[in-house]
Amino acid sequence: MLVDSPPEQCAETAPAPPTRRAARALGLLLSVVLLVCVALASIAIGAKALSLDQVWHGLFHDTGTYGDVVVDERLARTALGLLAGAALGVSGAVLQALTRNPLAEPGLLGMNAGASAAVVTAMTYFGVTSLSGYVWFAFLGAAAVGALVWFLGGSRGATPVRLALAGTAISAALYGYLQAVMITDGAALGKMRFWTVGSLVSATNATIVQVLPFLVAGTVLALALARPLNAVEMGDDTARALGANLDRTRALAMLAAVVLCGAATAACGPIVFVGLMVPHAVRSFTGPDLRWILPYATVLAPVLLLGADVVGRVVARPAELQVGIVTAIIGGPLFIFLVRRRRTAQL
């Protein structure tokens, strides 16, 4: 059964001392600098490495040389990684606050799998081939699975373990469905084999333009909910005493998570653990205040996603290891570590 947060957490959401606010602001600025560096590395590093001069020339000149063409392709890939990473990080932080579950994230709660299953169904059985068409299926799938996990986990009496188990079970069933579709449909296998593991390879300017409004809207909504979600994390009784509208906050927070997860999954495929790892990492520095966690997640989640994408390009040269595989390899052991640490702390 969920209980109200301890007094220490309530104290954390109070105004921080000026020195701590300054440290958080400086940390956020350094995170932005780190993001710029990783973005430049994403443009420069690949099967064909480019020098900084070539990157600069490709960004600000257009003469049609090989380097310029590569920069144009990688620029779209990097931009999509920035947007999708921010969406996954923010949605993970929102879900953790909404469920009061430090292990919640779109992949773990099955929302990625729901969006993926809906998109594959749209592609295979309804002939939907454009992102503008199947992004709505992604929203529907993410919302349906999110609601189902919440129901199976016990609704308002849900515990972190029950939510994780329900999400894992539903994800396993849906990924089994995905594999069955691809095995029985050769055309679907060729079309979706990279998308279903999570990839930035097919990024284009058109993709970015189509998902950008959804990602911006979801991020703005999530940031606007930072203060009421802080109250929700303290428990229902405390939130009501602070004047929070619980039903409205939960509905809007779930809407933000579904929009962010659905749009990111439609554009890149299912990418797991980004929404779990980043909020955990920043929480140790910012404390539980979502007014800081959400901006940090917006900046540092793309750092993780683009860094994983760069690693995938390097370790299998001249081929590539898709970013969804890299984040799963990193995130699996980390998730086990977090579960064991949480269990030890409860003993």
Side-chain angles (χ1 to χ4, degrees):
M1 180 171 138
L2 293 175
V3 297
D4 289 352
S5 301
E8 292 81 359
Q9 183 173 354
C10 298
E12 286 288 347
T13 57
T19 53
R20 185 168 187 183
R21 289 200 299 271
R24 288 169 171 171
L26 177 60
L28 188 58
L29 178 61
L30 293 176
S31 298
V32 172
V33 173
L34 177 60
L35 177 59
V36 172
C37 294
V38 174
L40 290 175
S42 176
I43 297 173
I45 299 174
K48 169 66 176 179
L50 300 178
S51 67
L52 290 179
D53 287 342
Q54 288 177 302
V55 172
W56 180 268
H57 193 276
L59 289 174
F60 299 104
H61 303 83
D62 186 13
T63 60
T65 65
Y66 174 79
D68 295 340
V69 173
V70 172
V71 168
D72 287 342
E73 293 176 352
R74 292 183 187 170
L75 190 59
R77 181 170 179 168
T78 300
L80 184 58
L82 289 170
L83 293 172
L88 294 172
V90 170
S91 61
V94 167
L95 288 172
Q96 289 176 12
L98 182 64
T99 62
R100 297 199 288 274
N101 176 4
L103 303 179
E105 64 109 17
L108 187 63
L109 296 185
M111 295 175 70
N112 281 348
S116 300
V119 169
V120 168
T121 299
M123 289 178 175
T124 305
Y125 298 112
F126 297 103
V128 180
T129 57
S130 66
L131 176 61
S132 59
Y134 61 67
V135 68
W136 302 105
F137 285 86
F139 293 151
L140 179 61
V145 171
L148 182 59
V149 168
W150 181 253
F151 173 75
L152 294 178
S155 301
R156 294 187 178 183
T159 64
V161 173
R162 291 178 67 179
L163 287 171
L165 289 174
T168 301
I170 293 173
S171 294
L174 290 176
Y175 283 127
Y177 163 74
L178 293 177
Q179 294 300 318
V181 170
M182 288 189 292
I183 289 173
T184 57
D185 188 338
L189 175 61
K191 183 167 53 177
M192 298 180 295
R193 63 192 184 96
F194 287 119
W195 184 87
T196 52
V197 298
S199 174
L200 300 176
V201 171
S202 59
T204 63
N205 292 332
T207 300
I208 295 168
V209 170
Q210 288 176 323
V211 299
L212 182 60
F214 300 109
L215 298 180
V216 170
T219 301
V220 170
L221 178 58
L223 292 172
L225 291 171
R227 187 181 294 273
L229 280 174
N230 276 339
V232 170
E233 274 199 299
M234 297 178 187
D236 289 2
D237 292 339
T238 303
R240 290 191 185 95
L242 293 173
N245 187 323
L246 291 178
D247 292 337
R248 183 178 64 186
T249 299
R250 285 177 174 141
L252 291 176
M254 183 59 73
L255 174 63
V258 166
V259 169
L260 290 170
C261 172
T265 303
C268 308
I271 299 176
V272 297
F273 290 119
V274 174
L276 171 65
M277 291 185 280
V278 174
H280 262 288
V282 303
R283 192 180 295 267
S284 62
F285 175 70
T286 64
D289 190 347
L290 283 160
R291 292 171 296 180
W292 286 101
I293 292 176
L294 290 174
Y296 267 92
T298 303
V299 175
L300 290 178
V303 170
L304 174 60
L305 186 60
L306 289 176
D309 190 41
V310 171
V311 170
R313 300 181 210 173
V314 172
V315 296
R317 278 180 176 171
E320 293 187 11
L321 197 61
Q322 303 307 315
V323 65
I325 298 174
V326 178
T327 58
I329 292 173
I330 297 172
L334 177 63
F335 177 68
I336 294 172
F337 168 75
L338 291 173
V339 170
R340 288 183 60 85
R341 187 177 70 172
R342 179 174 177 80
R343 181 181 177 185
T344 303
Q346 291 175 340
L347 293 178

